[in-house]
């Protein structure tokens, strides 16, 4: 039989079968007969090798059209059968009498997310030093996330942050440029405008950046930010805070050192390293044989930023500090894949 | 930026290479890869343009290891062209704000050939490939001096004229990489009397590229406005070695040093300098910044004396003039070296002293001073209590992304009108991260689906507290914390168990929630929930959330074969 005729016959027979299917199970069987391993549509292209180029040109589009119409018919019938099932829901009543069913999970107790547990630990640690929590928006303006922090538009330092911007199509045309905050530092000038020194604030919250997901890269991450403004603050206080934090979280043996680093909103700016907990500083694959791991950036708040917050840099100095939390947790617990934190994988979460 | 070690050794006397490798990240800048041939610096986002030249690195190395520099910078009267009678070519600057200096040197009698082995080695160790002797000289000079130069094939420049002007709106040029670029009048070009030759500060044009037959070049050295270069480079999404250097600002002094060095190199391959034209009067800015010893010690938290501070800064080529400040304390007026464009305020000077001292030597000081007043922490303590109570009730906390995946978005049945309440990203990584979530429970459904399929679980009780986002009635963006609980217990009526949990939570934390049955019309409108199994939650006469069984239509679309019940309440209203 010519291929064209064969196609039309299959279409006619199966459309009828599809339309007369009465359950999803029936429909699945019809689907398999068409598209399964030995399905009629699956096997048909084998006939094509017998055709000439001319014939193929004609048959090709017809084949695609038949295939598509059958697929659509199956989908449509599926939805129809389902909707029929949904109608039955209206006969079910509201029944709040619990038959005493307590799921397996409830017998064994639940688990706090490892990031929450870590954050609780940090809050406790810094509450002892008089720090309090502050909340800043996750959708924020370019001003609070960048400009007020001395990070001007077109500044090469913006390379450090790959920003996710908000589409304004459903927002007022003249509104500020909005973005997903790239760091918890968008809280800094807000804090300074709202509170006068002495200031001891911490922000522990979610940040975002343009990043494609893989084991070592994430677009969503939690950051811990300290904003500390008072008279006479120095880099020596910054060293103290870094040691206080890292020794408590990673162990007393961890040494902490500062290195020169550049961020537009601090001067001097530092990068904070801790001894590699895997090789205890001797050098290994994880730390690139340096013996040290990079754990965060920090510095003395830039006088321009203090001014933007209405604070006189001649009288006060400030410390800003912001490690990323997932990274430290990964080191602490030997977690290899960043994506596990937000995958919802209960087997992973149950370990904490 | 890759620094050839052998080349570096030519410019500064290195006694101990290991010491240099060890000290660079501690005193100057982090390093990426280090091989026998090169040291790669981590320049991402860095503000020091002087480190984009081997001479600049040499100066740093000399300062931090107390070593001798092997080169001497030429002074104005020592440049090659001084006291020589040379012709000139037509050069003009049409926009003085965007181009501060433009120099053009005409060099004739050249023959395009392969570069010698030494040049090839220097380029390759610096991560650049050798092209030909003429092009290589511009790259070698750029690498050593940090100032980009460009060689135009003289025969292709009409009337040998180089005018620096704004591009015409829509003007086009094919750049050296073969791509056609459309320019705006915010961009600057070098042009002859007919056409654009070069996107200023970014990339030269293909039409004037040096080719095998080139014998005369017009060597161009410029000083452009860094903001203009950044804007053009960002808009065209075109980054080059040249634009990187222009971003941070360059200096007239270096321009002349680079021009001089290039000319001498062209001469060494048989060229002859027949004309030189320099347009643009302004000189490099000389900064004078006050510094007090007290500020240094207070900000760093150490006790240095006058001599130590002077010693550190002098090693870095800063000039200090002692001048007591208003408080009659020890202070100076400091002049940074001309190539340190990043030094602007007193704190920048303090950083220079601190890094020479060694950040790693700073001893910790405990915090002192008055503690601030206590402020309202009720949001955080409520969230914390909710989490702890739910964990005690046997639920596991999950965290999901702040976006709707396409699967969830489709399952929720948004249409072009209804989706306008969602906050959308302008530049998402993919369609999976296009929309911000306006509720939490749909993502929890995805978590349930994942755990059924991958972990074979038949009983899942999870919660999440996180922010949701939406556009409010006034058209403004809004975000708030929300608690969501999802339960799948392999029964036909998970709502029954969830209801018990909700009551326990309500009672233990004294949340004061009351529940009412949603009217039949109300439930049908909601569409996402079972028509009869949906309860509205109220507190102090305000609606604060829902408790109900998810409609099978939604769970089917996610791929879940089981019944799921959810609870979702907004948190801020509890703080009133």
């Amino acid at each position: 039989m010519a291929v064209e005729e064969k196609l039309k016959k299959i279409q006619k027979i199966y459309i009828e079968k599809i339309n007369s299917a009465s359950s999803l199970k029936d429909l699945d069987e019809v689907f398999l007969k068409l598209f399964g391993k030995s399905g009629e549509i699956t096997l048909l292209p084998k006939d094509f090798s017998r055709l000439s180029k001319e014939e193929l040109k004609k048959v090709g589009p017809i084949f695609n059209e038949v295939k598509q119409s059958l697929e659509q018919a199956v989908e449509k019938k599926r939805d129809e059968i389902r909707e029929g099932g949904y109608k039955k829901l209206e006969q079910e009543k509201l029944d709040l009498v619990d038959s005493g069913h307590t799921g397996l999970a409830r017998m064994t107790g639940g688990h706090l997310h490892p990031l929450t547990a870590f954050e609780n630990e940090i809050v406790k640690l810094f509450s002892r030093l008089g720090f309090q929590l502050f909340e800043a928006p996750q959708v924020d303006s370019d001003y609070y996330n960048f400009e007020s922090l001395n990070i001007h538009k077109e500044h090469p330092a913006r390379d450090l942050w790959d920003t996710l911007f908000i589409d304004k199509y459903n927002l007022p045309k003249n509104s500020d440029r909005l973005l997903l905050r790239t760091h918890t530092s968008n809280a800094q000038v807000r804090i300074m405008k709202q509170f006068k020194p002495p200031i001891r604030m911490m922000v522990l919250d979610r940040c975002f950046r343009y990043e494609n997901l893989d084991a070592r890269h994430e677009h969503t991450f939690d950051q811990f930010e300290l904003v500390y403004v008072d008279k006479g603050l120095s880099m020596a206080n910054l060293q103290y805070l870094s040691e206080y934090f890292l020794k408590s979280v990673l162990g007393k043996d961890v040494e902490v050192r500062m290195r020169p680093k550049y961020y537009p909103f601090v001067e001097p700016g530092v990068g904070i390293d801790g001894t590699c907990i895997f090789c205890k500083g001797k050098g290994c694959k994880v730390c690139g044989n340096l013996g040290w791991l990079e754990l965060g950036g920090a510095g003395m708040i830039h006088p321009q930023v203090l001014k933007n917050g209405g604070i006189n840099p001649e009288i006060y100095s400030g410390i800003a500090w912001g490690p990323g939390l997932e990274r430290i947790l990964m080191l602490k617990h030997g977690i290899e894949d960043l994506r596990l934190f937000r995958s919802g994988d209960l087997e992973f979460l149950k370990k904490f | 930026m890759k620094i050839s070690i052998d080349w570096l050794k030519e410019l500064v006397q290195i006694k101990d290479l290991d010491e240099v490798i060890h000290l660079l990240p501690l005193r100057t800048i982090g390093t990426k890869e280090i091989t026998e041939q090169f040291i790669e610096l981590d320049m991402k986002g860095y503000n020091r343009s002087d480190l984009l030249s081997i001479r600049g690195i040499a100066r740093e190395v000399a300062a931090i290891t107390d070593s001798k520099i092997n080169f001497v910078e030429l002074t104005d009267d020592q440049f090659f062209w001084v006291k020589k009678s040379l012709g000139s070519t037509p050069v003009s600057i049409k926009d003085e704000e965007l181009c501060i200096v433009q120099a053009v040197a005409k060099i004739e009698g050249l023959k395009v050939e392969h570069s010698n082995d030494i040049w090839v080695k220097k380029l390759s160790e610096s991560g650049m490939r050798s092209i030909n002797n003429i092009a290589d000289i511009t790259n070698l000079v750029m690498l050593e001096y940090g100032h980009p130069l460009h060689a135009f094939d003289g025969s292709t420049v009409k009337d040998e004229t180089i005018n620096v002007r704004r591009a015409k709106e829509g003007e086009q040029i094919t750049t050296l990489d073969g791509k056609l670029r459309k320019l705006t009048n915010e961009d600057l070009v070098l042009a002859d009397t007919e056409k654009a030759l070069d996107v200023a500060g970014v990339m030269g044009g293909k039409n004037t590229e040096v080719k095998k037959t080139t014998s005369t070049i017009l060597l161009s050295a410029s000083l452009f406005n860094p903001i203009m270069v950044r804007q053009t480079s960002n808009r065209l999404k075109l980054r080059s070695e040249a634009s990187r250097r222009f971003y941070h600002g360059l200096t007239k002094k270096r321009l002349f040093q680079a021009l001089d060095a290039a000319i001498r190199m062209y001469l060494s391959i048989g060229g002859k300098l027949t004309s030189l034209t320099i347009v643009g009067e302004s000189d490099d800015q000389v900064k004078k910044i006050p510094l007090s010893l007290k500020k240094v010690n207070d900000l760093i938290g150490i006790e240095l004396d006058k001599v130590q501070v002077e010693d550190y800064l002098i090693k870095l080529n800063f000039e200090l003039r002692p001048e007591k400040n208003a408080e009659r304390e020890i202070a100076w007026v400091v002049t940074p070296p001309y190539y340190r464009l990043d030094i602007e305020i007193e704190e920048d000077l303090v950083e220079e002293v601190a890094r020479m001292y060694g950040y790693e030597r700073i001893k910790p000081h405990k915090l002192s001073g008055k503690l601030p007043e206590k402020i309202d922490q009720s949001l955080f303590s409520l969230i914390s209590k909710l989490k702890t109570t739910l964990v005690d009730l046997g639920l596991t906390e999950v965290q999901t992304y702040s976006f709707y995946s396409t699967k969830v978005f489709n399952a929720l049945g948004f249409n072009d009108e209804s989706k306008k309440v969602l906050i959308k990203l302008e530049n998402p990584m993919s369609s999976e991260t296009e929309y911000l979530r306006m509720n939490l429970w749909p993502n929890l459904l995805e978590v349930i689906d994942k755990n059924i399929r991958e972990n074979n679980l038949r009983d899942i009780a999870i919660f999440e507290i996180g922010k949701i986002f939406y556009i409010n009635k006034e058209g403004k963006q809004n975000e708030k914390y929300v608690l969501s609980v999802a339960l799948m217990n392999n029964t036909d009526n998970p709502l029954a168990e969830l209801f018990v949990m909700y009551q326990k939570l309500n009672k233990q934390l004294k949340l004061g929630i009351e529940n009412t049955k949603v009217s039949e019309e109300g439930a049908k409108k909601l569409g996402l929930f079972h028509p009869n199994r949906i309860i509205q939650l109220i507190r102090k006469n305000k609606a604060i959330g829902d408790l109900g069984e998810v409609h099978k239509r939604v769970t089917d679309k996610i791929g879940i074969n089981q019944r799921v019940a959810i609870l979702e309440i907004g948190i801020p209203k509890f703080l009133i």
Side-chain angles (χ1 to χ4, degrees):
Chain A
M1 190 193 298
V3 176
E4 248 186 88
E5 269 185 64
K6 211 172 171 186
L7 274 172
K8 293 285 181 198
K9 193 164 176 224
I10 293 176
Q11 188 175 35
K12 187 157 180 265
I13 296 178
Y14 277 90
I15 293 278
E16 239 197 83
K17 285 198 190 202
I18 288 169
N19 285 335
S20 55
S22 56
S23 72
L24 286 177
K25 192 160 170 248
D26 284 351
L27 201 54
D28 281 343
E29 278 174 23
V30 175
F31 186 85
L32 270 175
K33 286 209 184 106
L34 274 173
F35 297 107
K37 246 193 186 157
S38 350
E40 301 233 24
I41 294 289
T42 316
L43 292 178
L44 206 61
K46 290 208 175 125
D47 289 352
F48 288 4
S49 54
R50 289 191 282 113
L51 298 175
S52 68
K53 252 200 195 150
E54 288 291 305
E55 290 175 312
L56 245 180
K57 258 198 191 164
K58 242 179 90 187
V59 165
I62 300 182
F63 174 76
N64 286 333
E65 191 245 306
V66 168
K67 181 167 178 259
Q68 232 191 27
S69 78
L70 287 169
E71 282 172 339
Q72 284 173 352
V74 170
E75 261 318 295
K76 196 159 161 250
K77 192 66 185 176
R78 270 211 186 111
D79 281 343
E80 228 182 82
I81 296 178
R82 282 204 179 116
E83 286 296 327
Y86 299 154
K87 268 218 138 9
K88 292 212 193 101
L89 291 177
E90 293 176 16
Q91 290 154 23
E92 289 176 353
K93 293 211 173 46
L94 176 67
D95 176 9
L96 296 175
V97 177
D98 186 27
S99 56
H101 173 104
T102 309
L104 197 57
R106 267 69 76 216
M107 310 253 240
T108 55
H111 302 264
L112 215 52
H113 194 281
L115 280 170
T116 300
F118 190 31
E119 285 162 14
N120 288 349
E121 202 186 319
I122 295 173
V123 172
K124 228 165 121 188
L125 202 58
F126 283 91
S127 296
R128 271 188 235 139
L129 294 179
F131 284 84
Q132 300 180 78
L133 285 163
F134 183 85
E135 188 210 342
Q138 292 180 3
V139 172
D140 208 349
S141 64
D142 192 281
Y143 176 73
Y144 279 111
N145 195 74
F146 285 126
E147 289 284 336
S148 68
L149 295 172
N150 211 29
I151 307 166
H152 303 301
K153 284 195 175 65
E154 316 295 355
H155 195 289
R158 288 229 183 177
D159 285 353
L160 290 168
W161 299 278
D162 294 315
T163 315
L164 286 165
F165 290 98
I166 303 293
D167 191 326
K168 283 215 282 188
Y169 87 107
N170 53 356
L171 288 164
K173 289 256 178 315
N174 55 0
S175 58
D176 293 327
R177 187 130 208 238
L178 292 176
L179 42 79
L180 284 178
R181 65 143 172 237
T182 58
H183 42 200
T184 39
S185 309
N186 71 325
Q188 279 187 28
V189 172
R190 282 204 161 79
I191 289 172
M192 288 189 261
K193 282 185 175 171
Q194 216 182 317
F195 304 101
K196 289 304 149 206
I199 297 175
R200 296 192 189 191
M201 291 291 196
M202 49 184 170
V203 184
L204 277 154
D205 203 357
R206 190 173 273 204
C207 303
F208 307 86
R209 70 184 123 161
Y210 186 105
E211 191 77 72
N212 285 304
L213 289 180
D214 66 38
R216 318 208 113 260
H217 296 96
E218 250 289 14
H219 49 58
T220 301
F221 59 100
D222 277 8
Q223 202 182 346
F224 163 44
E225 178 111 8
L226 277 190
V227 179
Y228 175 29
V229 180
D230 206 344
K231 291 188 190 165
L233 299 186
S234 71
M235 291 174 77
N237 295 129
L238 184 49
Q239 176 71 18
Y240 173 79
L241 285 168
S242 307
E243 287 184 13
Y244 180 74
F245 175 58
L246 291 170
K247 280 180 191 279
S248 168
V249 161
L250 293 174
K252 286 205 183 71
D253 295 336
V254 162
E255 302 260 317
V256 177
R257 75 173 183 193
M258 301 189 290
R259 282 186 291 109
K261 210 145 193 241
Y262 171 70
Y263 301 100
F265 45 97
V266 287
E267 191 71 13
V270 314
I272 297 178
D273 292 343
T275 13
C276 178
I277 52 177
F278 295 102
C279 59
K280 306 241 194 293
K282 294 201 189 77
C284 68
K285 219 173 91 177
V286 180
C287 60
N289 273 316
L290 292 168
W292 294 91
L293 290 166
E294 207 182 295
L295 296 173
M300 308 306 292
I301 299 181
H302 197 285
Q304 187 56 54
V305 177
L306 287 172
K307 277 190 213 149
N308 292 341
I311 293 180
N312 187 343
E314 306 278 314
I315 305 175
Y316 296 101
S317 43
I319 285 177
W321 197 62
L325 295 181
E326 283 86 355
R327 183 165 160 72
I328 298 179
L329 266 187
M330 283 173 87
L331 293 171
K332 190 171 169 171
H333 294 293
I335 300 167
E336 305 229 324
D337 193 330
L338 259 178
R339 295 167 294 189
L340 285 169
F341 287 110
R342 292 190 177 82
S343 65
D345 184 340
L346 290 171
E347 288 302 319
F348 168 72
L349 294 172
K350 283 189 175 137
K351 294 187 190 148
F352 299 96
Chain B
M1 158 104 179
K2 286 197 174 113
I3 309 291
S4 153
I5 293 176
D6 282 345
W7 197 347
L8 185 63
K9 283 183 175 164
E10 279 178 25
L11 299 172
V12 58
Q13 282 178 17
I14 295 180
K15 301 163 233 143
D16 181 355
L17 184 62
D18 284 335
E19 186 195 16
V20 172
I21 292 173
H22 172 72
L23 281 180
L24 270 173
L26 291 179
R27 299 277 173 276
T28 312
I29 186 171
T31 53
K32 281 161 88 171
E33 204 190 337
I34 300 179
T35 67
E36 301 238 328
Q37 280 78 40
F38 64 80
I39 298 172
E40 191 178 1
L41 304 178
D42 187 358
M43 292 288 301
K44 191 172 185 195
Y46 233 73
N47 64 336
R48 283 184 60 178
S49 60
D50 65 303
L51 298 178
L52 285 170
S53 72
I54 305 185
R55 288 198 164 202
I57 306 285
R59 288 202 179 280
E60 266 297 307
V61 169
I64 65 181
T65 60
D66 231 339
S67 311
K68 265 193 78 190
I69 284 285
N70 283 342
F71 59 87
V72 173
E73 286 186 4
L74 295 182
T75 53
D76 284 343
D77 55 335
Q78 293 174 312
F79 291 129
F80 181 82
W81 51 82
V82 167
K83 295 213 181 82
K84 290 203 171 57
S85 74
L86 295 163
S88 73
T89 55
V91 176
S92 76
I93 298 176
K94 304 285 186 211
D95 190 319
E96 281 167 10
E97 255 190 59
L98 299 185
C99 175
I100 298 110
V101 178
Q102 176 62 42
V104 178
K106 181 174 171 185
I107 299 167
E108 301 183 72
L110 291 168
K111 196 161 160 246
V112 173
E113 283 174 340
H114 289 307
S115 287
N116 64 58
D117 290 341
I118 299 173
W119 290 1
V120 173
K121 177 175 180 285
K122 277 185 169 171
L123 285 169
S124 117
E125 287 176 348
S126 308
M128 291 184 86
R129 55 181 185 93
S130 168
I131 306 169
N132 56 53
N133 54 358
I134 295 183
D136 287 354
I137 288 175
T138 60
N139 285 329
L140 287 164
V141 169
M142 178 183 73
L143 286 168
E144 180 165 341
Y145 292 83
H147 198 107
L149 301 172
H150 187 79
F152 295 102
D153 177 327
S155 67
T156 61
V157 178
K158 190 120 203 298
D159 303 328
E160 289 193 331
T161 302
I162 291 187
N163 295 325
V164 187
R165 60 166 173 80
R166 281 182 189 257
K168 294 178 207 130
E169 194 66 36
E171 187 167 4
Q172 294 185 339
I173 178 174
T174 302
T175 40
L176 284 172
D177 55 3
K179 291 205 177 100
L180 184 64
R181 309 280 176 181
K182 224 190 195 157
L183 305 173
T184 71
N185 80 339
E186 299 289 316
D187 303 317
L188 196 68
V189 294
L190 272 66
D192 62 22
T193 47
E194 258 179 1
K195 58 195 187 292
L197 313 168
D198 182 286
V199 181
V202 181
M203 197 176 272
K206 201 139 179 74
N207 51 9
T208 51
E209 192 181 10
V210 165
K211 21 183 212 294
K212 288 204 181 88
T213 54
T214 302
S215 66
T216 298
I217 59 166
L218 292 177
L219 181 66
S220 162
S222 335
L223 201 53
F224 299 123
N225 180 318
I227 297 177
M228 178 275 297
V229 177
R230 284 178 218 156
Q231 285 176 344
T232 299
S233 164
N234 281 341
R235 197 180 54 75
L236 293 177
K237 294 200 187 7
L238 185 55
R239 294 266 177 105
S240 61
E241 292 295 329
S243 66
R244 277 176 79 190
R245 288 163 173 84
F246 277 112
Y247 279 174
H248 298 285
L250 297 170
T251 63
K252 197 173 176 188
K253 268 205 176 70
R254 274 288 164 82
L255 188 159
F256 286 144
Q257 291 168 10
L259 190 59
D260 174 277
I263 290 172
R264 290 177 200 266
M265 284 172 89
Y266 282 117
L267 264 49
S268 78
I269 56 167
K272 196 158 177 266
L273 176 68
T274 56
S275 73
L276 177 67
T277 319
I278 301 170
V279 176
E281 289 301 317
S282 30
D283 279 320
D284 295 328
Q285 230 197 351
V286 176
K287 283 190 214 112
K288 291 200 186 303
I289 306 165
L291 176 69
S292 81
L293 181 61
K294 185 171 188 299
K295 179 88 180 191
V296 171
N297 286 330
D298 281 352
L299 197 56
I300 304 175
I302 49 179
E303 286 282 325
L304 292 179
D305 62 39
K306 181 173 171 300
V307 173
Q308 285 170 298
V309 172
E310 285 170 357
D311 187 47
Y312 288 140
L313 291 177
I314 288 169
K315 281 208 174 92
L316 290 169
N317 289 309
F318 286 71
E319 276 170 34
L320 299 101
R321 192 185 77 231
E323 188 170 289
K324 287 220 160 96
N325 63 10
E327 287 85 16
R328 311 296 304 159
E329 298 162 331
I330 299 176
W332 307 263
V333 173
V334 181
T335 306
Y338 72 89
Y339 50 82
R340 293 297 303 274
L341 296 173
D342 58 297
I343 305 286
E344 299 190 299
I345 58 176
E346 194 176 17
E347 282 79 357
D348 294 330
L349 296 173
V350 173
E351 185 178 68
E352 296 298 293
V353 174
R355 67 185 184 91
M356 286 296 279
Y357 172 77
Y359 286 12
E360 77 284 358
R361 292 169 62 193
I362 300 173
K363 301 255 177 296
H365 283 178
K366 273 197 172 144
L367 308 187
S368 61
K370 230 174 62 169
L371 288 186
E373 273 175 31
K374 289 231 184 280
I375 56 168
D376 182 17
Q377 302 278 274
S378 52
L379 170 68
F380 307 103
S381 57
L382 175 59
I383 290 178
S384 185
K385 282 199 203 115
L386 284 167
K387 290 187 182 183
T388 316
T389 311
L390 287 165
V391 167
D392 284 342
L393 287 175
L395 294 106
T396 296
E397 183 189 2
V398 305
Q399 279 200 24
T400 64
Y401 293 116
S402 303
F403 311 104
Y404 280 145
S405 66
T406 48
K407 199 200 231 183
V408 166
F409 182 79
N410 290 329
L412 292 174
F414 281 105
N415 58 38
D416 282 340
E417 259 315 298
S418 60
K419 74 179 189 189
K420 287 202 182 134
V421 73
L422 299 175
I423 296 183
K424 186 173 179 224
L425 288 189
E426 188 187 279
N427 59 331
M429 280 71 71
S430 73
S431 53
E432 299 300 314
T433 55
E434 227 182 315
Y435 293 97
L436 290 179
R437 64 193 183 187
M438 70 173 254
N439 44 24
L440 233 43
W441 62 263
N443 283 1
L444 295 185
L445 289 185
E446 261 194 319
V447 171
I448 289 178
D449 174 51
K450 187 193 164 84
N451 282 287
I452 293 175
R453 281 184 295 109
E454 291 177 16
N455 295 326
N456 260 315
L457 295 176
R458 312 221 126 275
D459 188 287
I460 298 170
I462 55 179
F463 73 93
E464 179 172 5
I465 294 183
K467 274 193 165 166
I468 56 114
F469 311 84
Y470 58 97
I471 309 270
N472 66 16
K473 289 191 211 88
E474 288 87 44
K476 258 198 95 189
Q477 77 277 10
N478 223 315
E479 60 189 75
K480 71 174 185 208
Y481 278 108
V482 150
L483 159 68
S484 190
V485 180
L487 176 68
M488 185 281 281
N489 61 7
N490 211 21
T491 69
D492 269 344
N493 188 15
L495 183 57
E497 188 188 347
L498 185 56
F499 187 72
V500 171
M501 284 181 182
Y502 143 75
Q503 285 179 312
K504 284 189 185 158
L505 182 71
N506 197 15
K507 188 168 171 210
Q508 275 185 294
L509 293 181
K510 299 192 177 58
L511 297 176
I513 310 173
E514 287 155 23
N515 42 279
T516 66
K517 193 164 174 228
V518 172
S519 68
E520 283 183 34
E521 302 93 68
K524 286 199 177 88
K525 255 190 265 176
L526 281 171
L528 299 171
F529 294 95
H530 188 298
N532 296 328
R533 293 176 176 177
I534 170 101
I535 299 169
Q536 192 171 59
L537 300 173
I538 306 204
R539 183 179 180 268
K540 293 194 179 166
N541 282 320
K542 286 213 169 72
I544 53 143
D546 301 298
L547 174 59
E549 181 183 312
V550 178
H551 198 296
K552 207 165 181 307
R553 190 183 292 119
V554 178
T555 46
D556 278 343
K557 287 221 176 96
I558 303 279
I560 301 173
N561 233 335
Q562 297 279 352
R563 310 263 187 149
V564 179
I566 66 109
L567 161 76
E568 184 144 321
I569 49 179
I571 294 188
K573 293 211 173 120
F574 285 92
L575 303 172
I576 305 167

